Amino acid sequence: NAGVTQTPKFRVLKTGQSMTLLCAQDMNHEYMYWYRQDPGMGLRLIHYSVGEGTTAKGEVPDGYNVSRLKKQNFLLGLESAAPSQTSVYFCASSRGLGTQYFGPGTRLTVL
Amino acid sequence: AQKITQTQPGMFVQEKEAVTLDCTYDTSDQSYGLFWYKQPSSGEMIFLIYQGSYDEQNATEGRYSLNFQKARKSANLVISASQLGDSAMYFCAMREGDGGSQGNLIFGKGTKLPVKP
């Protein structure tokens, strides 16, 4: 049982490049979330999804897009990366409003 | 105003002793949930314990217990018999509401806890 997995684990981008982060969960959870963690800031919600085909904005959505085409996958896209998007990105999933279980994180550096 | 406040950015505990990590929260909802997560130096977020706003008894999970004082809006984490492996950042988080389409967590800024031998 893998739980929540994230791909890739590390990535370095140049300003203006694009990329997609993949989150996959095998727990059949309806809800999925993308957070970012910056030093001294705790985690902040970027986007979330309450089911396949639905997404919604969180606290810090600007510069990001998401898609939930399959229940088990939640993709986070950066269309034109900026240095301010240098962060550690965490995906999480939950069964309804229950406990959220997190992936191992993706460390992204934008030069 | 911050919704989750962790007033101790850093503290330490001696191995085998107990330690309390503070968390206060701010919400006008009647139904909400409070969570504690541990983040070791390896970076993953590990769920520790959960307390629902309607739960009358304090939550316990092994060496972890949550001292829930609803009137004071505090949800302190107590770790008993600290072990070296408890060294980590600890985050308090709140989920507001009991329905609708959200369920996202609001996190505090964390408390760094090294355990000294």
Side-chain angles (χ1 to χ4, degrees), chain A residues 3-32:
Chain A
V4 181
T5 58
Q6 293 182 231
T7 309
K9 290 185 169 52
F10 303 93
R11 186 71 187 269
V12 178
L13 290 178
K14 294 182 180 178
T15 296
Q17 288 185 319
S18 64
M19 78 163 293
T20 300
L21 281 65
L22 171 63
C23 176
Q25 53 96 3
D26 61 4
M27 297 176 282
N28 202 32
H29 286 170
E30 300 90 353
Y31 286 39
M32 296 187 75

Side-chain angles (χ1 to χ4, degrees), chain B residues 40-55:
Chain B
S41 58
S42 52
E44 70 267 35
M45 295 289 288
I46 302 168
F47 165 71
L48 294 178
I49 196 166
Y50 164 78
Q51 178 84 40
S53 58
Y54 292 123
D55 295 340

Side-chain angles (χ1 to χ4, degrees), chain B residues 17-83:
Chain B
E17 293 187 348
V19 63
T20 298
L21 306 183
D22 295 341
C23 174
T24 58
Y25 59 92
D26 181 25
T27 182
S28 56
D29 286 354
Q30 295 301 306
S31 177
Y32 50 89
L34 297 158
F35 300 79
W36 278 92
Y37 286 85
K38 170 185 177 182
Q39 187 176 42
S41 58
S42 52
E44 70 267 35
M45 295 289 288
I46 302 168
F47 165 71
L48 294 178
I49 196 166
Y50 164 78
Q51 178 84 40
S53 58
Y54 292 123
D55 295 340
E56 294 186 352
Q57 292 196 335
N58 288 342
T60 60
E61 289 285 350
R63 294 186 298 110
Y64 305 107
S65 60
L66 201 152
N67 184 0
F68 181 46
Q69 298 187 43
K70 194 170 182 177
R72 299 179 63 180
K73 293 190 175 179
S74 74
N76 298 339
L77 176 70
V78 180
I79 305 174
S80 63
S82 296
Q83 301 172 356

